[in-house]
Amino acid sequence: MTLYPVPESVARARRWFRKFISPYAPACSIDDCVLMISELVTNAVLYGEAEDSWRVRVEWWRVGESLLVDVHNPGFPAQVRIRRPDASDAHGRGLLLVDALSDSWSAGPSRFGGTRVSFRIDGAWKR
């Protein structure tokens, strides 16, 4: 899915994922996946930057029994890090949630240029 870098795209990404994943009946929590996608798309919208117009891209696919999700934006990969916010901080928990809910996550260069942040859910489909 290709999204404009605007706050409304977060809700669109959630709806899109639910619509297209449901027919596959994954064994994992769709709600957890939607939460992680929300956090990553929010980060992409907030922290992506480019001189020209740009988009956020969300991809997902099945590899064996695992679900893989990638979120791409034109930001800088080296800036992706888990923050340790204080209890009074209103922001900064997105990657903490992804780290807690996924089996693994990673960040690095995107094949589109910029940044790719991914998460993997093992056992999303049983063979």
Side-chain angles (χ1 to χ4, degrees):
M1 174 172 219
T2 302
L3 304 159
Y4 289 101
V6 296
E8 295 80 15
S9 290
V10 177
R12 185 172 183 210
R14 287 192 300 258
R15 286 189 306 269
W16 169 79
F17 183 78
R18 282 187 190 282
K19 177 180 177 179
F20 290 106
I21 196 79
S22 293
Y24 295 97
C28 63
S29 168
I30 292 175
D31 289 338
D32 286 354
C33 291
V34 166
L35 175 60
M36 290 186 284
I37 289 169
S38 289
E39 295 298 334
L40 295 184
V41 171
T42 297
N43 286 350
V45 168
L46 290 175
Y47 303 116
E49 51 187 76
E51 292 182 15
D52 299 321
S53 78
W54 56 278
R55 302 289 186 270
V56 174
R57 290 181 171 87
V58 180
E59 302 174 309
W60 66 274
W61 61 96
R62 178 181 176 171
V63 176
E65 294 182 4
S66 296
L67 169 67
L68 302 175
V69 176
D70 286 352
V71 177
H72 303 265
N73 75 71
F76 300 101
Q79 294 179 350
V80 177
R81 61 184 168 76
I82 291 181
R83 293 180 50 204
R84 304 288 180 205
D86 292 329
S88 61
D89 290 339
H91 303 285
R93 292 172 181 79
L95 285 177
L96 282 171
L97 285 169
V98 173
D99 186 57
L101 295 174
S102 68
D103 289 296
S104 68
W105 72 274
S106 65
S110 167
R111 70 178 181 277
F112 302 110
T115 302
R116 170 204 42 82
V117 182
S118 303
F119 68 84
R120 188 185 85 237
I121 303 294
D122 294 332
W125 286 276
K126 302 296 180 189
R127 290 185 185 216

